Amino acid sequence: MRNTERVQGLASVDNALRILLMFQQTPELRVTDVARRLGVSRSTAHRLLTTLCGRGLAVQDGRTRAYVPGRTLVDLAHALSRRPDLLGLLRPHLVELCARLGETISAQVFQGPDVVFVDGVEAERVLKAGLRTGAKMPAYAVSGGKAYLAELNTAEVRALYPRGLVKLTSHTPGDFEALEQELAQVRARGYAVNLEGTETGLHAVGAAVHDHAGRAIAALAVSAPAQRLGPERRHEVGASLIQAARSVEAELGSLQ
Amino acid sequence: MRNTERVQGLASVDNALRILLMFQQTPELRVTDVARRLGVSRSTAHRLLTTLCGRGLAVQDGRTRAYVPGRTLVDLAHALSRRPDLLGLLRPHLVELCARLGETISAQVFQGPDVVFVDGVEAERVLKAGLRTGAKMPAYAVSGGKAYLAELNTAEVRALYPRGLVKLTSHTPGDFEALEQELAQVRARGYAVNLEGTETGLHAVGAAVHDHAGRAIAALAVSAPAQRLGPERRHEVGASLIQAARSVEAELGSLQ
DNA sequence: GCGAAGATTCCTCTATGCGGAACACAGAGA
DNA sequence: TCTCTGTGTTCCGCATAGAGGAATCTTCGC
């Protein structure tokens, strides 16, 4: 495995999933192209493709020998799109916010001490924050996570990190005192900010989304190059995120 | 790997794909359930699920700890469903034929000497032929494949099987003489039949679908228990398949 | 608080997935 | 028609990636 692409979990499985995702941009895939893009041998690429064919997720065109998406893949998608869910509710808001604010926007959900990036829409500028969909990070290092932690009391926050905090950059809060100061500011402002907490040069603003019982269940976050997210802009973005969160919550409420 | 389920290609990849397909019937998956259904250990199931999460194809609900489909999976599906293709054209015909004839219907494409089952709709009766989507079989052993071979000349057919034919059941044609007799009948009738050629007790009828240049590019086939596909019924089904094939061809022609 | 069930982590082991090479196939050009 | 090149497929040997088991952690119900 000489591939330098980030691998999450099982490498063989990850490569097969990447082939599926290639179908979004490339309707027809060739063994040689797949091998090159994955950084694997042709025989490996062939094995992966034939495995996908075995479950009807891909099919080979007998004339051109290229591989195209199989019906089972589309059927799966149709079955899923019939189920409204939180992610489905969030999506149009992500799109609208990205268009209005001109910055990359992401949706995050909480998993114990971490947040997971579950969706996002990328800004269309050349210099922009990229998407982290699928990534998991400590909540205290991410704006959406801070918005969540601000709704817990001190003991609850400490219980999430029994071994203390680990700084990702020099700006990440490194102990509970620093984190509590930040969370107090989040509570006062209504939105959270993250100034180079996960990556140098990157700023972010986040606001929590609540369920009908008032518990934070997700967060909306805008991330951008630091020079584009000064104090005034952050306040403007924060207000937009809070407004969007309230809209999502209203839609969630109407589903109960 | 103690799993007895058919494995196509890489076992680890196949298991991950099966998890994706589980989302069609089961909106939320638990590690323990996935492990049981795949026949693997819980740690393996957990590894597979976290790999899916790494590419945004699944996401874990932080509160319930169950895994649900991720946005990337649905986005992929939506991107694919925006592309009309042969499979897309065939689908409504498969659904209509299945409803009208009351039997399992499948779409097959050709790959050299074989056919691949690329789509299908299963009859709603208790006793019925199952779907073979994803499976590859010798063309001479399958009704859709015979419909295709009937449009080749003798030399072309022989060139596809340089090592001769292999009987799958006692009814599969075992040499070129027997096969040519069958293909002559296909040409006379306009549709192909397969009487227990791949499985004892199973009969099938197939007809080829052509592109604008008149080349067979796919086949529609009805398969059913032998007692339900006597000579008269086969003729009726054959006529319906030919009619549907002509409709698909008209729609294909309108796309040129 | 306790026990049971389920999820996660980590270690060891081996068989599965990998790459390389040979072969098969297809197309283009002479 | 033949040759060459590019691409897809098959097969073999190898070692490491993936699997299972056990310990640990987490959650839930009583």
Side-chain angles (χ1 to χ4, degrees), chain A residues 6 8 10 12 14 23-24 51 55 59-60 62-63 71 76-77 83 87-88 110-111 118-119 217, chain B residues 6 8 10 12 14 23-24 51 55 59-60 62-63 71 76-77 80 83 87-88 110-111 118-119 217:
Chain A
R6 169 190 63 150
Q8 302 261 14
L10 307 176
S12 52
D14 193 63
F23 279 133
Q24 271 182 297
T51 304
R55 291 289 169 187
V59 61
Q60 187 179 34
R63 197 179 319 272
R71 170 55 56 182
L76 176 58
R83 289 204 286 258
L87 292 186
F110 314 116
Q111 283 189 18
V118 292
D119 197 7
I217 54 172
Chain B
R6 167 189 65 150
Q8 302 263 12
L10 307 176
S12 53
D14 193 65
F23 279 133
Q24 272 182 297
T51 304
R55 289 290 168 187
V59 61
Q60 187 179 34
R63 198 180 316 274
R71 169 56 55 182
L76 175 59
L80 296 181
R83 291 206 287 261
L87 293 186
F110 314 115
Q111 284 190 18
V118 292
D119 197 7
I217 54 172

Side-chain angles (χ1 to χ4, degrees), chain B residues 28-239:
Chain B
E28 292 194 342
L29 296 171
R30 297 204 153 275
V31 171
T32 309
D33 290 338
V34 168
R36 197 192 65 247
R37 288 165 73 172
L38 292 182
V40 298
S41 69
R42 283 181 297 167
S43 55
T44 296
H46 181 255
R47 259 192 305 268
L48 292 166
L49 284 162
T50 51
T51 304
L52 293 178
C53 292
R55 289 290 168 187
L57 298 177
V59 61
Q60 187 179 34
D61 182 317
R63 198 180 316 274
T64 66
R65 298 194 302 179
Y67 291 80
V68 300
R71 169 56 55 182
T72 306
L73 183 55
V74 182
D75 282 349
L76 175 59
H78 283 155
L80 296 181
S81 62
R82 286 197 294 262
R83 291 206 287 261
D85 60 346
L86 175 62
L87 293 186
L89 279 186
L90 286 169
R91 183 70 188 181
H93 294 273
L94 296 177
V95 174
E96 190 271 331
L97 282 165
C98 179
R100 177 147 57 86
L101 301 174
E103 299 293 358
T104 294
I105 173 103
S106 64
Q108 300 155 18
V109 297
F110 314 115
Q111 284 190 18
D114 299 322
V115 298
V116 180
F117 290 75
V118 292
D119 197 7
V121 183
E122 205 168 63
E124 297 198 349
R125 307 159 97 126
V126 173
L127 179 65
K128 66 197 166 185
L131 290 178
R132 281 169 160 162
T133 305
K136 181 193 281 192
M137 304 184 104
Y140 60 83
V142 184
S143 61
K146 290 178 190 177
Y148 161 61
L149 295 179
E151 306 197 356
L152 308 179
N153 64 41
T154 305
E156 283 170 331
V157 173
R158 283 180 184 244
L160 286 177
Y161 308 98
R163 300 197 194 94
L165 311 182
V166 177
K167 293 169 78 84
L168 300 191
T169 72
S170 60
H171 294 87
T172 320
D175 55 47
F176 289 114
E177 283 73 33
L179 178 58
E180 275 299 333
Q181 284 183 25
E182 286 209 40
L183 298 185
Q185 289 170 22
V186 175
R187 293 181 191 115
R189 281 188 309 238
Y191 60 85
V193 300
N194 189 39
L195 311 181
E196 304 190 306
T198 57
E199 190 166 330
T200 305
L202 184 71
H203 285 183
V205 182
V209 176
H210 306 82
D211 67 8
H212 64 282
R215 287 165 304 199
I217 54 172
L220 296 170
V222 164
S223 53
Q227 58 264 36
R228 297 213 296 261
L229 270 186
E232 285 195 16
R233 180 64 173 158
R234 290 201 293 273
H235 194 71
E236 182 186 337
V237 165

Side-chain angles (χ1 to χ4, degrees), chain A residues 86 90 107-110 118 144 147-148 207-211 215-220, chain B residues 63:
Chain A
L86 175 62
L90 286 170
Q108 300 154 19
V109 297
F110 314 116
V118 292
Y148 161 62
V209 177
H210 306 83
D211 67 8
R215 287 166 304 199
I217 54 172
L220 296 170
Chain B
R63 198 180 316 274

Side-chain angles (χ1 to χ4, degrees), chain A residues 16-17 19-21 23 27 29 48-60 67-77, chain B residues 13-22 24 52 57 73 76 80 87 116-118 133-135:
Chain A
L17 302 178
I19 296 179
L20 289 182
L21 299 180
F23 279 133
L29 296 171
L48 292 166
L49 284 162
T50 51
T51 304
L52 292 178
C53 292
R55 291 289 169 187
L57 297 176
V59 61
Q60 187 179 34
Y67 292 78
V68 300
R71 170 55 56 182
T72 305
L73 184 55
V74 182
D75 283 349
L76 176 58
Chain B
V13 171
D14 193 65
N15 278 331
L17 302 179
R18 286 172 65 198
I19 295 178
L20 289 182
L21 298 181
M22 287 180 196
Q24 272 182 297
L52 293 178
L57 298 177
L73 183 55
L76 175 59
L80 296 181
L87 293 186
V116 180
F117 290 75
V118 292
T133 305

